[in-house]
């Protein structure tokens, strides 16, 4: 007889897997355990579903229309500027052939006007990122033209007389070619968003161009360390390089491309003009052409000045 307070613990019966008929080497095999287990495995419901590809955002009709308008604007501006550049050179070619203009003066007027007019034309291009590439097509075409005539693949005596010193086609592969390469560089790298390219082209086109004209006419007093350069030429380069740079900066500032502190800007441009004038006066023309040394030095000085 058992006491009312006593109880006998019982163990619930569990249906455990039977291992009596399993060989020793297979007793730990998962396959054997699953086969021997008396109850079926619970069903697992898969809730994960592979994500579908997100739909691509479609361009709105207004965006496509704006892109098309920008493309047409840039193409039209390129054609217009290219026609203007060709007409400018053709005009001075005719004046030189008719002996109405001296070859040296024609060359320098082309040097001054072509670069400055190219820079003045930048605002007629669109605001798209491709605009600078369209603008670069203009000096690129001139670059190819200089290569063809400089290598004597195509002959054009008028072009050679208007842009070379001695009438030798090979001269086209030096100064004039460097000139258009600098135009391409400034358009692609700086464009109208930075004063650096504007000042560099103003010093190369305006400052250096006027320096040669004034030096030939009034350059009787030579610089002591370079008998090929005159005080009149160097002073003219400083003054005209400074004035043309300020004028171009005001032009782009007025159009809203950048805002400048004009007191500081005048000081910076004066310093850049001085540095470029000193470099232009050095006796290194036979080693390094002015169309390389002047814009690159102006570029470096302008970048340091306007970055500080």
């Amino acid at each position: 007889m058992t006491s009312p307070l006593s109880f006998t613990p019982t163990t619930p019966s569990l249906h455990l897997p039977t291992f009596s008929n399993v060989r020793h080497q297979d007793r730990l095999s998962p396959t054997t355990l699953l086969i021997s287990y008396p109850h079926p495995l619970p069903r697992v419901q898969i809730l994960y579903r592979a994500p579908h590809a997100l739909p691509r955002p479609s361009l709105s009709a207004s965006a496509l229309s704006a892109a098309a308008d920008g493309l047409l604007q840039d193409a039209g501006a390129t054609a217009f500027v290219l026609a203007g550049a060709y007409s400018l050179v053709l005009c001075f070619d005719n004046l030189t052939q008719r002996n109405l203009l001296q070859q040296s003066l024609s060359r320098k007027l082309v040097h001054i006007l072509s670069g400055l007019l190219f820079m003045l034309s930048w605002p007629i291009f669109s605001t798209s990122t491709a605009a600078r590439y369209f603008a670069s097509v203009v000096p690129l075409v001139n670059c190819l033209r200089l290569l063809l005539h400089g290598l004597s693949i195509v002959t054009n005596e008028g072009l050679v007389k208007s842009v070379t010193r001695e009438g030798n086609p090979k001269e086209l592969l030096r100064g004039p070619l460097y000139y258009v390469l600098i135009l391409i560089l400034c358009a692609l790298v700086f464009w109208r968003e930075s004063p650096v390219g504007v000042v560099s082209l103003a010093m190369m086109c305006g400052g250096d161009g006027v320096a040669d004209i004034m030096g030939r006419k009034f350059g009787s007093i030579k610089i002591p360390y370079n008998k090929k350069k005159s005080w009149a030429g160097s002073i003219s380069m400083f003054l005209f390089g400074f004035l043309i740079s300020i004028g171009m900066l005001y032009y782009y500032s007025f159009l809203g491309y950048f805002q400048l502190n004009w007191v500081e800007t005048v000081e910076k441009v004066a310093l850049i003009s001085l540095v470029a004038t000193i470099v232009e006066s050095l006796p290194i023309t036979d080693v390094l052409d002015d169309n390389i040394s002047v814009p690159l030095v102006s570029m470096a000085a302008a970048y340091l000045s306007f970055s500080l």
Side-chain angles (χ1 to χ4, degrees), residues 27-108:
R27 286 180 180 178
L28 298 180
S29 171
T31 305
T32 304
L33 292 176
L34 290 174
I35 294 175
S36 303
Y37 199 84
H39 295 286
L41 293 175
R43 180 178 297 177
V44 178
Q45 184 177 3
I46 300 176
L47 299 179
Y48 176 78
R49 179 177 296 176
H52 296 286
L54 296 177
R56 295 182 179 179
S58 58
L59 294 176
S60 62
S62 59
L64 291 174
S65 177
D69 291 342
L71 183 63
L72 291 175
Q73 179 180 349
D74 291 333
T78 301
F80 175 77
V81 177
L82 190 59
Y86 181 79
S87 300
L88 178 69
V89 176
L90 182 62
C91 176
F92 284 101
D93 287 350
N94 293 330
L95 292 176
T96 304
Q97 289 178 353
R98 295 178 181 180
N99 295 323
L100 299 176
L101 197 65
Q102 294 181 356
Q103 179 180 347
S104 59
L105 181 59
S106 172
R107 179 177 61 85
K108 277 305 170 181

Side-chain angles (χ1 to χ4, degrees), residues 18-246:
T18 304
F19 297 95
S20 57
N21 297 326
V22 181
R23 291 179 300 176
H24 175 72
Q25 63 269 24
D26 295 330
R27 286 180 180 178
L28 298 180
S29 171
T31 305
T32 304
L33 292 176
L34 290 174
I35 294 175
S36 303
Y37 199 84
H39 295 286
L41 293 175
R43 180 178 297 177
V44 178
Q45 184 177 3
I46 300 176
L47 299 179
Y48 176 78
R49 179 177 296 176
H52 296 286
L54 296 177
R56 295 182 179 179
S58 58
L59 294 176
S60 62
S62 59
L64 291 174
S65 177
D69 291 342
L71 183 63
L72 291 175
Q73 179 180 349
D74 291 333
T78 301
F80 175 77
V81 177
L82 190 59
Y86 181 79
S87 300
L88 178 69
V89 176
L90 182 62
C91 176
F92 284 101
D93 287 350
N94 293 330
L95 292 176
T96 304
Q97 289 178 353
R98 295 178 181 180
N99 295 323
L100 299 176
L101 197 65
Q102 294 181 356
Q103 179 180 347
S104 59
L105 181 59
S106 172
R107 179 177 61 85
K108 277 305 170 181
L109 290 176
V110 171
H111 178 98
I112 295 170
L113 295 176
S114 59
L116 295 182
L117 291 176
F118 173 64
M119 185 165 47
L120 285 171
S121 71
W122 289 353
I124 70 176
F125 289 85
S126 72
T127 58
S128 68
T129 55
R132 67 182 68 197
Y133 301 104
F134 276 92
S136 301
V137 171
V138 178
L140 178 61
V141 170
N142 288 326
C143 178
L144 297 176
R145 185 185 182 197
L146 291 173
L147 288 173
L148 292 174
H149 290 85
L151 296 173
S152 297
I153 299 175
V154 180
T155 58
N156 188 333
E157 295 182 1
L159 173 66
V160 173
K161 288 182 179 181
S162 62
V163 298
T164 61
R165 293 177 183 271
E166 300 175 358
N168 187 350
K170 293 184 179 180
E171 291 185 54
L172 298 175
L173 303 178
R174 294 194 291 271
L177 181 61
Y178 304 148
Y179 181 90
V180 295
L181 290 177
I182 292 295
L183 294 181
I184 296 173
L185 176 65
C186 288
L188 292 178
V189 177
F190 300 106
W191 194 219
R192 57 198 177 197
E193 302 166 357
S194 170
V196 176
V198 174
V199 174
S200 301
L201 291 184
M203 292 303 304
M204 180 185 73
C205 303
D208 185 44
V210 175
D212 186 79
I213 295 175
M214 300 301 289
R216 290 176 182 273
K217 190 172 183 62
F218 305 104
S220 57
I221 304 176
K222 303 298 182 181
I223 296 177
Y225 54 84
N226 188 0
K227 298 302 181 181
K228 294 183 179 180
K229 304 290 182 178
S230 65
W231 284 108
S234 294
I235 294 173
S236 298
M237 177 170 179
F238 175 81
L239 290 177
F240 282 90
F242 171 80
L243 293 175
I244 294 174
S245 296
I246 292 295

